[in-house]
């Protein structure tokens, strides 16, 4: 039964199971969405797809484990080592789960867009709800196209098994066109309205800037899969700068640069100025997805005795003592990429744990470097409020710097470096060298936040940056294969899907 449910959950291509079952994840009632409360409930259902266990952990499985910054503990079971070793196949379960939950989110967003958009609610409600749903659809398609390349596209809600054989996009441009259109409509429909866990006008601009930068740099660096794109490199860089500028120059006071590095990662401050889009989870939730176990993935095990992390000012921060220590940081990344004076190293990366009195725990159970970006000092057993940082203000500041170039970009890069306690970026760099320096800064600033793989892919530098991928061609490292279960069940996906490479 567990396997049957898992297959039912796949939205892109659902298995042929009992037609008497109601596919989980589908709203099929014609009487729903008749009130503002219904519309909000449907929208929350779409947001909830982000909180699924497999999707949530997939942020690091996909975004960091295959890169030069993180690796899994050696005795961790399952397919995670296929990601680390660059031996992912169409049968790798972890990439299948990520794919599946992206499409669940898309289907739920499609339902909201159609039902609420065509409903009789006020324009104010329609704009808010449909605008957020369009943002979510764009978010999921952006993750899909960066991870798998050309994939099936659907913009209509699926309510039966017969509707699940979505056609493959004709080109990568078709997918980007949908993403950009959704972001533009979301920006038009939404207002600046910062609410923890939700998207607003600023989030739509931020996502749009990331989309345009990914396109521009993929074309510029000759990333596989983008050679036939009809988008203009120059226009995409210009659009990335335009929309990131809107984020940076927002005057609402809700978003901005956080001068306190550690405050960014305070789980009790999810509404801090850095957080443009952050997942809505809290330790008070009754089941996983409402709360998270993220710290357990990063923190070492101390026999269930709470651990304490010591910072440079001598303060101690309590953390779970029953960590799994799955996500470890590469020694070379810490010791060769960061300056020893960089606070992003000294404050956010650790190898020693302490007891409540500040005494080092020996012999140390720590297997390697770990990050304190995901620590909840007020954890309740395994329940925590640690959350993925989906879009941060500093991410968009670096998007702007890379897109606009040195003329205006230096100020933002140096602001971020100043917060980290290191000197300004080398002055007088050419546009090309400056952009490469910004990408290097992203590596340090956004480490362990699920961005690294996508930065490597859009700059065609996977094989030159990741030792485990050095024997591959850049084309082979550009995308993961569409999961075999989806290929088997969707006649519109070819048996050999190489995304045109």
């Amino acid at each position: 039964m567990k396997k049957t449910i898992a297959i039912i959950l796949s939205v892109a291509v659902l298995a042929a199971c009992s037609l008497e079952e109601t596919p989980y994840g589908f709203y099929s009632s014609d009487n729903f969405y008749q009130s503002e409360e219904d519309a909000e409930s449907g929208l929350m259902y779409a947001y909830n797809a982000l909180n699924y266990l497999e999707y949530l952990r997939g942020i690091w499985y996909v975004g960091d484990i295959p890169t030069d910054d993180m690796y899994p503990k050696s005795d961790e079971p399952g397919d995670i080592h296929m990601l680390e070793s660059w031996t992912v196949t169409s049968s790798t379960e972890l990439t299948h789960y990520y794919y599946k939950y992206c499409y669940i989110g898309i289907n739920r967003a499609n339902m909201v867009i159609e039902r609420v958009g065509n409903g009789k609610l006020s324009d104010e409600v329609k704009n808010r709800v449909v605008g957020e749903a369009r943002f979510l659809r764009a978010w999921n398609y952006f993750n899909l196209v960066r991870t798998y390349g050309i994939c099936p596209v659907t913009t209509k809600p699926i309510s039966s098994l017969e509707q699940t054989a979505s056609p493959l996009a004709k080109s990568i441009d078709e997918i980007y066109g949908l993403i950009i259109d959704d972001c533009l409509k979301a920006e038009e429909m939404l207002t600046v309205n910062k609410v923890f866990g939700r998207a607003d006008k600023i989030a739509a601009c931020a996502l749009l800037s990331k989309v345009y930068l990914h396109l521009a740099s993929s074309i510029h660096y000759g990333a596989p899969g983008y050679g036939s794109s009809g988008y203009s490199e120059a226009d995409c860089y210009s659009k990335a700068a335009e929309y990131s500028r809107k984020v940076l120059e927002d005057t609402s006071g809700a978003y901005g640069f956080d001068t306190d590095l550690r405050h960014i990662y305070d789980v009790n401050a999810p509404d801090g100025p850095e957080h443009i889009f952050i997942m809505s989870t809290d330790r008070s939730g009754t089941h996983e997805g409402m709360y998270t176990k993220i710290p357990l993935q990063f923190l070492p095990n101390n026999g269930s005795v709470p651990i304490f992390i010591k910072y440079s000012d001598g303060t101690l921060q309590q953390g779970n003592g029953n960590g799994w220590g799955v996500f470890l940081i590469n020694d070379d990344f810490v010791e060769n990429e960061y300056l020893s004076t960089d606070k992003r190293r000294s404050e956010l990366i650790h190898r020693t744990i302490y007891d409540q009195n500040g005494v080092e725990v020996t012999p140390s159970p720590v297997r390697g470097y770990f990050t304190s970006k995901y620590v909840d000092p007020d954890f309740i057993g395994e329940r925590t409020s640690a959350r993925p940082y989906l879009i941060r203000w500093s991410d968009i500041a670096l998007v702007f710097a890379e897109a606009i170039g040195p003329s205006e970009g230096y100020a933002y890069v140096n602001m971020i470096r100043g917060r980290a306690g290191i000197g300004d970026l080398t002055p007088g760099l050419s546009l090309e060298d400056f952009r490469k320096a910004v990408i290097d800064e992203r590596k340090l600033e956004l480490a362990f936040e699920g961005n690294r793989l996508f930065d490597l892919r859009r700059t065609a530098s996977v094989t030159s940056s990741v030792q485990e991928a050095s024997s591959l061609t850049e084309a082979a490292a550009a995308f993961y294969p569409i999961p075999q279960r989806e290929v088997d069940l969707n006649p519109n996906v070819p048996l050999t899907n190489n995304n045109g490479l």
Side-chain angles (χ1 to χ4, degrees):
M1 184 61 182
K2 183 176 180 181
K3 182 176 180 181
T4 301
I5 294 174
I7 295 174
I8 293 173
L9 278 167
S10 181
V11 173
V13 282
L14 300 179
C17 48
S18 173
L19 296 181
E20 296 179 359
E21 294 190 41
T22 300
Y24 180 72
F26 298 151
Y27 279 121
S28 58
S29 173
D30 293 332
N31 296 320
F32 203 65
Y33 300 109
Q34 299 302 305
S35 69
E36 181 176 350
E37 290 74 19
D38 288 347
E40 284 287 331
S41 179
L43 179 61
M44 290 304 101
Y45 195 51
Y47 273 109
N48 182 254
L50 299 178
N51 293 38
Y52 276 115
L53 181 63
E54 291 89 346
Y55 190 114
L56 186 150
R57 290 179 183 166
I59 290 169
W60 298 285
Y61 288 150
V62 171
D64 285 295
I65 287 296
T67 75
D68 51 350
D69 65 4
M70 274 181 17
Y71 68 100
K73 68 177 182 179
S74 60
D75 56 349
E76 177 69 5
D79 289 350
I80 191 169
H81 298 287
M82 298 177 75
L83 288 157
E84 177 201 17
S85 63
W86 281 88
T87 55
V88 168
T89 70
S90 59
S91 298
T92 302
E93 287 198 346
L94 293 181
T95 51
H96 175 254
Y97 291 145
Y98 190 71
Y99 181 96
K100 175 174 69 174
Y101 283 107
C102 283
Y103 276 107
I104 288 177
I106 287 167
N107 187 61
R108 292 180 182 182
N110 284 342
M111 186 69 73
V112 173
I113 292 166
E114 179 171 286
R115 294 293 179 85
V116 176
N118 295 329
K120 299 179 180 180
L121 300 175
S122 69
D123 288 343
E124 179 184 357
V125 172
K126 282 186 179 182
N127 284 340
R128 184 181 72 251
V129 174
V130 174
E132 289 184 58
R134 282 188 174 274
F135 172 90
L136 290 173
R137 184 167 71 182
W139 175 266
N140 282 293
Y141 271 123
F142 189 41
N143 286 329
L144 283 167
V145 74
R146 293 185 299 172
T147 306
Y148 307 94
I150 297 174
C151 54
V153 170
T154 178
T155 58
K156 297 294 182 182
I158 296 169
S159 58
S160 68
L161 296 173
E162 291 77 11
Q163 298 173 306
T164 59
S166 304
L168 200 68
K170 296 180 178 65
S171 67
I172 206 162
D173 281 1
E174 180 183 344
I175 303 174
Y176 275 100
L178 171 61
I179 295 168
I180 290 169
D181 183 62
D182 272 344
C183 286
L184 289 172
K185 285 187 169 62
E187 186 210 5
E188 178 184 344
M189 301 174 84
L190 296 173
T191 62
V192 180
N193 180 36
K194 185 172 186 174
V195 176
F196 162 50
R198 296 180 67 165
D200 67 353
K201 187 183 191 75
I202 296 299
C205 289
L207 178 56
L208 192 52
S209 73
K210 287 173 68 73
V211 171
Y212 274 122
L213 182 69
H214 197 93
L215 266 171
S217 54
S218 294
I219 297 168
H220 177 75
Y221 291 101
Y226 292 83
S228 60
S229 174
Y231 283 96
S232 160
E233 174 190 328
D235 184 57
C236 287
Y237 272 127
S238 177
K239 291 291 187 183
E242 174 187 346
Y243 286 99
S244 55
R245 188 191 294 276
K246 289 184 178 184
V247 175
L248 303 182
E249 297 182 356
D250 165 53
T251 58
S252 69
Y255 303 100
F257 182 70
D258 195 330
T259 59
D260 186 340
L261 182 65
R262 281 175 52 193
H263 183 256
I264 297 171
Y265 304 101
D266 183 346
V267 298
N268 294 317
D271 57 350
E274 281 273 335
H275 301 305
I276 295 174
F277 186 41
I278 189 169
M279 197 172 290
S280 177
T281 54
D282 189 83
R283 68 182 77 88
S284 64
T286 57
H287 60 272
E288 194 167 359
M290 296 175 68
Y291 63 82
T292 75
K293 297 181 180 179
I294 292 172
L296 303 184
Q297 296 281 353
F298 289 91
L299 298 180
N301 188 284
N302 193 34
S304 295
V305 177
I307 67 169
F308 289 82
I309 295 167
K310 183 182 287 188
Y311 292 95
S312 59
D313 60 3
T315 59
L316 296 170
Q317 182 182 41
Q318 181 177 240
N320 300 71
N322 57 336
W324 305 322
V326 176
F327 296 153
L328 299 171
I329 303 171
N330 281 311
D331 288 11
D332 287 346
F333 185 76
V334 178
E335 296 162 7
N336 297 334
E337 300 295 335
Y338 288 97
L339 294 173
S340 60
T341 55
D342 195 323
K343 292 180 182 177
R344 294 170 298 193
R345 171 179 173 173
S346 61
E347 299 293 284
L348 302 176
I349 299 175
H350 309 268
R351 200 165 198 163
T352 305
I353 60 173
Y354 300 84
D355 65 18
Q356 60 185 347
N357 298 313
V359 177
E360 183 176 339
V361 174
T362 55
S364 174
V366 180
R367 299 183 185 216
Y369 286 108
F370 64 92
T371 181
S372 60
K373 286 188 174 184
Y374 307 97
V375 178
D376 183 354
D378 303 314
F379 62 88
I380 304 172
E382 293 187 338
R383 291 154 50 193
T384 83
S385 295
R387 309 168 183 93
Y389 310 104
L390 301 178
I391 304 179
R392 284 206 288 121
W393 191 92
S394 290
D395 176 5
I396 305 308
L398 292 173
V399 167
F400 177 76
E402 185 180 342
I404 201 70
S407 58
E408 296 181 69
Y410 264 112
Y412 287 99
V413 178
N414 289 339
M415 183 187 300
I416 290 169
R417 289 173 65 89
R419 180 175 60 194
I422 58 177
D424 288 351
L425 189 63
T426 304
L429 294 174
S430 67
L431 174 60
E432 186 70 18
D433 288 342
F434 177 80
R435 281 178 170 160
K436 289 179 179 177
V438 174
I439 293 164
D440 282 342
E441 200 63 41
R442 289 179 60 84
K443 173 174 59 179
L444 305 179
E445 176 65 23
L446 304 174
F448 332 124
E449 297 182 28
N451 290 279
R452 182 62 176 152
L453 178 64
F454 302 127
D455 282 347
L456 293 176
R457 282 181 166 174
R458 69 183 177 87
T459 55
S461 56
V462 173
T463 61
S464 60
S465 302
V466 183
Q467 181 178 355
E468 290 79 6
S470 60
S471 63
L472 301 176
T473 63
E474 204 61 42
F479 303 110
Y480 291 134
I482 289 179
Q484 188 62 44
R485 271 181 273 186
E486 311 296 343
V487 173
D488 291 343
L489 295 165
N490 188 343
N492 292 315
V493 177
L495 292 176
T496 302
N497 178 57
N498 63 359
N499 290 292
L501 302 180

